[in-house]
């Protein structure tokens, strides 16, 4: 029976009680923590950077999945990532739409050079086919099912169908790249993503601020046939 990776997105956490939120995530059995980096450029919102990431990794031993919704200016990708790597990022995912062709080429080399887990994300309007040439060099593909920038938005079902396309391609080519979905995930929308063949479910507003976080994480983690 397939067990899904659940990645609570700390974008929806209450930062006044972040330690308790991280303790609750760990106790729920979630395997990853999703960390959304925004700088007001690629998306119209601002979040956090390496300092808060350091505080989180000093406290939590969970896999730290960094989703970078930024453009890189006047810097190499490696230099840009160095503070995040020092802060304990376990994986870094950039948006395909945000990187120039030369930045994308450099990013792909960092997987081996820095022994880093890397991913590429696509916005709802970007076809997943654009990533096919790079799949061999990626640990994960992040399918956005909302417009990146904010938690609490409604799931875009048409964007989720890209999971199925990608699952078929990966299976046919015997590739191990993980498929991650992010945006509007709850018990219902997770079912659809599981049917399509997702591996990792990111969820923010569905998990934080609810007393039954553990039950919700467990529900996302198990396959629907096992009930
Ligand atoms: C949005 C972020 C998401 C966000 C998801 O751009 O990438 O990770 O936290 O939040 P929910 O689960 O509330 O849609
Ligand atoms: Zn995210």
């Amino acid at each position: 029976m397939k067990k899904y990776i659940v990645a609570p997105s700390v974008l929806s956490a209450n930062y006044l009680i972040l330690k308790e939120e991280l303790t609750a995530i760990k106790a729920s059995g979630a395997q990853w923590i999703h960390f959304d980096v925004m700088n007001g450029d690629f998306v119209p919102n601002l979040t956090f950077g390496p300092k808060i990431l350091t505080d989180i990794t000093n406290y939590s031993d969970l896999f730290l999945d960094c989703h970078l919704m930024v453009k890189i200016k006047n810097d190499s990708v490696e230099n840009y990532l160095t503070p995040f790597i020092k802060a304990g990022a376990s994986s870094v995912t950039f948006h395909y739409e945000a990187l120039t062709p030369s930045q994308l080429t450099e990013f792909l080399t960092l997987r081996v050079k820095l022994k880093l887990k890397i991913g590429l994300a696509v916005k709802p309007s970007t076809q997943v086919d654009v990533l096919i040439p790079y799949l061999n060099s990626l640990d994960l593909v992040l399918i956005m099912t909302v417009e990146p920038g904010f938690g609490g938005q409604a799931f875009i079902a048409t964007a989720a169908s890209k999971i199925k396309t990608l699952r078929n391609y990966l299976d046919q080519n015997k590739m191990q790249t993980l498929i991650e979905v992010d945006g509007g995930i709850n018990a219902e929308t997770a079912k659809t993503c599981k049917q399509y063949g997702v591996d990792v479910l990111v969820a923010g507003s569905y998990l934080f601020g609810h007393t039954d976080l553990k039950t919700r994480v467990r529900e996302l983690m198990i396959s629907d046939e096992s009930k």
Side-chain angles (χ1 to χ4, degrees):
M1 206 56 75
K2 180 160 174 168
K3 197 173 171 197
Y4 298 89
I5 295 171
V6 178
S9 172
V10 290
L11 184 65
S12 291
N14 178 349
Y15 306 121
L16 294 180
I17 53 160
L18 187 55
K19 194 171 178 177
E20 286 102 285
E21 300 277 49
L22 295 172
T23 305
I25 292 174
K26 173 80 178 178
S28 74
Q31 308 94 321
W32 289 16
I33 292 173
H34 186 80
F35 187 80
D36 287 307
V37 178
M38 311 182 196
N39 66 359
D41 183 358
F42 180 64
V43 292
N45 197 2
L46 296 168
T47 58
F48 24 61
K51 169 65 172 72
I52 294 187
L53 184 61
T54 304
D55 290 348
I56 293 175
T57 58
N58 280 343
Y59 181 71
S60 175
D61 60 357
L62 296 187
F63 185 97
L64 242 300
D65 174 42
C66 295
H67 176 194
L68 302 167
M69 285 160 273
V70 298
K71 289 183 185 170
I72 304 171
K73 289 177 184 157
N74 309 317
D75 212 348
S76 69
V77 181
E78 183 173 357
N79 282 345
Y80 187 89
L81 285 179
T82 299
F84 291 95
I85 295 165
K86 284 189 179 151
S90 308
S91 66
V92 291
T93 296
F94 277 106
H95 269 265
Y96 171 79
E97 304 90 351
L99 296 177
T100 65
S102 63
Q103 287 173 339
L104 175 56
T105 304
E106 188 203 342
F107 179 49
L108 297 175
T109 66
L110 298 180
R111 185 188 193 209
V112 173
K113 189 176 175 190
L114 304 179
K115 296 191 180 65
L116 186 65
K117 294 210 184 301
I118 66 166
L120 284 173
V122 282
K123 295 208 261 187
S125 58
T126 303
Q127 292 308 309
V128 75
D129 310 43
V130 298
L131 300 183
I132 286 178
Y134 314 110
L135 289 176
N136 262 324
S137 312
L138 296 174
D139 296 286
L140 68 90
V141 168
L142 175 52
I143 308 278
M144 290 301 300
T145 39
V146 297
E147 284 303 326
F150 298 91
Q153 303 180 74
F155 181 78
I156 302 171
T158 49
S161 64
K162 286 185 274 183
I163 295 169
K164 204 172 176 176
T165 311
L166 186 57
R167 169 79 329 153
N168 287 337
Y169 186 89
L170 292 173
D171 287 354
Q172 275 162 17
N173 292 280
K174 299 187 170 37
M175 296 170 88
Q176 305 298 316
T177 317
L178 293 174
I179 306 177
E180 182 174 20
V181 67
D182 184 7
I185 295 300
N186 57 38
E188 279 311 303
T189 58
K191 270 186 205 162
T192 307
C193 297
K194 289 172 183 177
Q195 279 161 9
Y196 288 162
V198 80
D199 299 297
V200 185
L201 295 149
V202 176
S205 53
Y206 179 62
L207 298 178
F208 290 97
H210 301 279
T211 48
D212 58 345
L213 179 139
K214 186 171 183 170
T215 314
R216 290 178 184 226
V217 167
R218 292 293 158 112
E219 173 90 22
L220 294 182
M221 205 182 282
I222 58 167
S223 71
D224 292 310
E225 311 97 74
S226 65
K227 279 187 259 167

Coordinates of all heavy atoms in Angstrom, one line a residue, residues 152-197:
G152 N -4.2 29.2 1.2 CA -5.6 29.4 1.4 C -6.4 29.6 0.1 O -7.6 30.0 0.1
Q153 N -5.8 29.3 -1.1 CA -6.6 29.5 -2.3 C -7.2 28.2 -2.8 O -6.9 27.1 -2.3 CB -5.6 29.9 -3.5 CG -4.8 31.2 -3.2 CD -3.9 31.5 -4.4 OE1 -4.3 32.0 -5.4 NE2 -2.6 31.3 -4.2
A154 N -8.1 28.3 -3.7 CA -8.9 27.1 -4.2 C -8.0 26.3 -5.2 O -7.4 26.9 -6.0 CB -10.2 27.5 -4.8
F155 N -8.1 25.0 -5.0 CA -7.4 24.0 -5.9 C -7.9 24.2 -7.3 O -9.1 24.2 -7.6 CB -7.8 22.7 -5.3 CG -7.3 21.4 -6.0 CD1 -6.0 21.0 -5.7 CD2 -8.1 20.7 -6.8 CE1 -5.5 19.9 -6.3 CE2 -7.6 19.5 -7.4 CZ -6.3 19.1 -7.1
I156 N -6.9 24.2 -8.3 CA -7.2 24.3 -9.7 C -7.2 22.8 -10.3 O -6.1 22.3 -10.5 CB -6.3 25.2 -10.4 CG1 -6.3 26.6 -9.8 CG2 -6.6 25.3 -11.9 CD1 -5.3 27.6 -10.3
A157 N -8.3 22.2 -10.5 CA -8.4 20.8 -10.9 C -7.6 20.6 -12.2 O -7.0 19.5 -12.4 CB -9.8 20.4 -11.0
T158 N -7.7 21.5 -13.2 CA -7.1 21.3 -14.5 C -5.6 21.2 -14.3 O -4.9 20.5 -15.1 CB -7.5 22.4 -15.5 OG1 -7.2 23.6 -14.8 CG2 -8.9 22.3 -15.9
A159 N -5.0 21.9 -13.4 CA -3.6 21.9 -13.2 C -3.2 20.6 -12.6 O -2.1 20.0 -12.9 CB -3.2 23.0 -12.2
A160 N -4.1 20.0 -11.8 CA -3.7 18.7 -11.1 C -3.6 17.6 -12.1 O -2.9 16.6 -11.9 CB -4.8 18.4 -10.1
S161 N -4.3 17.7 -13.2 CA -4.3 16.6 -14.2 C -2.9 16.4 -14.8 O -2.6 15.4 -15.4 CB -5.4 16.8 -15.3 OG -5.0 18.0 -16.0
K162 N -2.1 17.4 -14.7 CA -0.7 17.3 -15.1 C 0.1 16.2 -14.4 O 1.1 15.6 -14.8 CB 0.1 18.6 -15.0 CG -0.3 19.7 -16.0 CD 0.5 20.9 -15.9 CE 0.0 21.8 -14.9 NZ 0.8 23.1 -14.8
I163 N -0.4 15.9 -13.2 CA 0.2 14.8 -12.3 C 0.2 13.5 -13.1 O 1.1 12.8 -13.2 CB -0.5 14.7 -11.0 CG1 -0.3 16.0 -10.1 CG2 0.0 13.5 -10.2 CD1 -1.2 16.0 -8.9
K164 N -1.0 13.3 -13.7 CA -1.3 12.0 -14.4 C -0.3 11.9 -15.7 O 0.3 10.9 -15.9 CB -2.7 12.1 -14.9 CG -3.4 10.8 -15.2 CD -4.8 11.1 -15.4 CE -5.6 9.9 -15.8 NZ -7.0 10.3 -15.9
T165 N -0.2 13.0 -16.4 CA 0.7 13.0 -17.6 C 2.1 12.7 -17.1 O 2.8 11.8 -17.8 CB 0.7 14.4 -18.2 OG1 -0.7 14.9 -18.3 CG2 1.4 14.5 -19.5
L166 N 2.5 13.3 -16.1 CA 3.9 13.1 -15.6 C 4.1 11.7 -15.0 O 5.1 11.1 -15.3 CB 4.2 14.2 -14.5 CG 5.7 14.2 -14.0 CD1 6.7 14.4 -15.1 CD2 5.8 15.3 -12.9
R167 N 3.1 11.2 -14.3 CA 3.2 9.8 -13.7 C 3.4 8.8 -14.9 O 4.2 8.0 -14.8 CB 1.9 9.6 -12.9 CG 1.7 8.1 -12.5 CD 2.5 7.7 -11.3 NE 3.6 8.1 -11.1 CZ 4.6 8.5 -10.2 NH1 4.8 8.3 -9.3 NH2 5.6 8.9 -10.0
N168 N 2.6 9.0 -15.9 CA 2.7 8.0 -17.1 C 4.1 8.1 -17.7 O 4.7 7.1 -17.9 CB 1.6 8.4 -18.1 CG 0.2 8.0 -17.7 OD1 0.1 7.1 -16.8 ND2 -0.8 8.6 -18.3
Y169 N 4.6 9.3 -17.8 CA 5.9 9.4 -18.5 C 7.0 8.8 -17.6 O 7.8 8.1 -18.1 CB 6.2 10.9 -18.7 CG 7.5 11.1 -19.5 CD1 7.5 11.1 -20.9 CD2 8.7 11.2 -18.8 CE1 8.7 11.2 -21.6 CE2 9.9 11.3 -19.5 CZ 9.9 11.3 -20.9 OH 11.1 11.4 -21.6
L170 N 6.9 9.1 -16.3 CA 7.9 8.6 -15.4 C 7.9 7.1 -15.3 O 8.9 6.4 -15.3 CB 7.8 9.2 -14.0 CG 8.0 10.7 -13.8 CD1 7.6 11.1 -12.4 CD2 9.5 11.0 -14.1
D171 N 6.7 6.5 -15.2 CA 6.5 5.0 -15.2 C 7.0 4.4 -16.4 O 7.8 3.4 -16.4 CB 5.1 4.7 -14.9 CG 4.7 5.0 -13.4 OD1 5.6 5.4 -12.6 OD2 3.5 4.8 -13.1
Q172 N 6.6 5.0 -17.6 CA 7.1 4.4 -18.8 C 8.6 4.4 -19.0 O 9.2 3.5 -19.6 CB 6.5 5.2 -20.0 CG 5.1 4.7 -20.4 CD 4.3 5.7 -21.2 OE1 4.9 6.6 -21.8 NE2 3.0 5.6 -21.3
N173 N 9.2 5.4 -18.4 CA 10.7 5.5 -18.5 C 11.4 5.0 -17.3 O 12.6 5.3 -17.2 CB 11.0 6.9 -18.9 CG 10.5 7.3 -20.3 OD1 11.2 7.0 -21.3 ND2 9.4 7.9 -20.4
K174 N 10.7 4.4 -16.4 CA 11.3 3.8 -15.2 C 12.1 4.9 -14.4 O 13.3 4.6 -14.0 CB 12.1 2.6 -15.5 CG 11.3 1.5 -16.1 CD 12.1 0.2 -16.2 CE 11.3 -1.0 -16.6 NZ 10.2 -0.8 -17.6
M175 N 11.5 6.0 -14.2 CA 12.2 7.1 -13.5 C 11.7 7.3 -12.1 O 10.5 7.1 -11.9 CB 12.1 8.4 -14.3 CG 12.8 8.3 -15.7 SD 12.5 9.7 -16.8 CE 13.8 10.7 -16.2
Q176 N 12.6 7.7 -11.2 CA 12.2 7.8 -9.8 C 11.8 9.2 -9.3 O 11.6 9.4 -8.1 CB 13.3 7.2 -8.9 CG 13.8 5.9 -9.3 CD 12.7 4.8 -9.1 OE1 12.0 4.8 -8.1 NE2 12.6 3.9 -10.0
T177 N 11.9 10.2 -10.2 CA 11.6 11.5 -9.8 C 10.3 11.6 -9.0 O 9.3 11.1 -9.5 CB 11.5 12.4 -11.1 OG1 12.5 12.1 -12.0 CG2 11.6 13.9 -10.7
L178 N 10.3 12.3 -7.9 CA 9.1 12.4 -7.1 C 8.1 13.5 -7.7 O 8.6 14.5 -8.2 CB 9.4 12.9 -5.7 CG 10.2 11.8 -4.8 CD1 10.5 12.5 -3.5 CD2 9.3 10.6 -4.6
I179 N 6.8 13.3 -7.6 CA 5.9 14.2 -8.0 C 5.2 14.8 -6.8 O 4.6 14.1 -6.0 CB 4.7 13.6 -8.9 CG1 5.3 12.9 -10.1 CG2 3.8 14.7 -9.4 CD1 4.3 12.2 -11.0
E180 N 5.4 16.2 -6.6 CA 4.9 16.9 -5.5 C 3.8 17.8 -5.9 O 3.9 18.4 -7.0 CB 6.0 17.7 -4.9 CG 5.7 18.5 -3.6 CD 6.9 19.1 -3.0 OE1 8.0 19.3 -3.7 OE2 6.9 19.5 -1.8
V181 N 2.7 18.0 -5.1 CA 1.7 18.9 -5.5 C 1.5 19.9 -4.4 O 1.7 19.6 -3.2 CB 0.3 18.1 -5.8 CG1 -0.2 17.5 -4.5 CG2 -0.7 19.1 -6.4
D182 N 1.2 21.2 -4.7 CA 1.2 22.3 -3.8 C 0.1 23.2 -4.2 O 0.1 23.8 -5.3 CB 2.5 23.0 -3.8 CG 2.7 24.1 -2.8 OD1 1.8 24.3 -2.0 OD2 3.7 24.8 -2.9
G183 N -0.9 23.5 -3.2 CA -1.9 24.5 -3.4 C -3.3 23.9 -3.3 O -3.7 23.1 -4.1
G184 N -4.0 24.3 -2.3 CA -5.4 23.9 -2.1 C -5.6 22.5 -1.8 O -6.7 21.9 -2.0
I185 N -4.6 21.9 -1.2 CA -4.8 20.4 -0.8 C -5.6 20.3 0.5 O -5.3 20.9 1.5 CB -3.4 19.8 -0.7 CG1 -2.6 19.8 -2.0 CG2 -3.5 18.4 -0.1 CD1 -3.3 19.0 -3.1
N186 N -6.6 19.4 0.4 CA -7.4 19.0 1.6 C -7.7 17.6 1.4 O -7.3 16.9 0.4 CB -8.6 19.9 1.7 CG -9.5 19.9 0.5 OD1 -9.7 18.9 -0.2 ND2 -10.0 21.1 0.2
A187 N -8.6 17.0 2.2 CA -8.9 15.6 2.1 C -9.5 15.2 0.8 O -9.1 14.2 0.2 CB -9.9 15.2 3.2
E188 N -10.3 16.1 0.2 CA -11.0 15.8 -1.1 C -10.0 15.9 -2.2 O -9.9 15.1 -3.1 CB -12.1 16.8 -1.3 CG -13.4 16.4 -0.6 CD -13.8 14.9 -0.8 OE1 -13.9 14.5 -2.0 OE2 -13.9 14.1 0.2
T189 N -9.3 17.1 -2.3 CA -8.4 17.3 -3.4 C -7.2 16.3 -3.4 O -6.7 16.0 -4.5 CB -7.9 18.8 -3.5 OG1 -7.3 19.1 -2.2 CG2 -9.1 19.7 -3.7
A190 N -6.8 15.9 -2.2 CA -5.7 15.0 -2.1 C -6.1 13.6 -2.8 O -5.3 13.0 -3.4 CB -5.4 14.7 -0.6
K191 N -7.4 13.3 -2.7 CA -7.8 12.0 -3.3 C -7.6 12.0 -4.8 O -7.1 11.1 -5.4 CB -9.4 11.9 -3.1 CG -9.7 11.1 -1.8 CD -11.2 10.9 -1.8 CE -11.6 10.8 -0.3 NZ -13.1 11.0 -0.1
T192 N -7.9 13.2 -5.4 CA -7.7 13.3 -6.8 C -6.2 13.2 -7.2 O -5.9 12.5 -8.1 CB -8.2 14.7 -7.3 OG1 -9.5 14.9 -6.8 CG2 -8.1 14.9 -8.8
C193 N -5.4 13.9 -6.4 CA -4.0 13.8 -6.7 C -3.4 12.4 -6.5 O -2.5 12.0 -7.2 CB -3.2 14.8 -5.7 SG -3.7 16.5 -6.0
K194 N -3.9 11.7 -5.5 CA -3.4 10.3 -5.3 C -3.9 9.4 -6.4 O -3.1 8.6 -6.9 CB -4.0 9.8 -4.0 CG -3.4 10.4 -2.7 CD -4.2 10.0 -1.5 CE -3.6 10.7 -0.2 NZ -4.4 10.3 1.0
Q195 N -5.1 9.6 -6.9 CA -5.5 8.8 -8.1 C -4.6 9.1 -9.3 O -4.3 8.2 -10.1 CB -7.0 9.2 -8.5 CG -8.0 8.5 -7.6 CD -9.4 9.2 -7.6 OE1 -9.6 10.1 -8.4 NE2 -10.2 8.8 -6.8
Y196 N -4.2 10.3 -9.4 CA -3.3 10.7 -10.6 C -1.9 10.2 -10.4 O -1.1 10.3 -11.3 CB -3.3 12.2 -10.7 CG -4.6 12.8 -11.3 CD1 -4.9 14.2 -11.2 CD2 -5.5 12.0 -11.9 CE1 -6.0 14.7 -11.7 CE2 -6.7 12.6 -12.5 CZ -7.0 13.9 -12.3 OH -8.1 14.5 -12.8
G197 N -1.5 9.8 -9.2 CA -0.1 9.3 -9.0 C 0.9 10.2 -8.3 O 2.1 10.1 -8.6

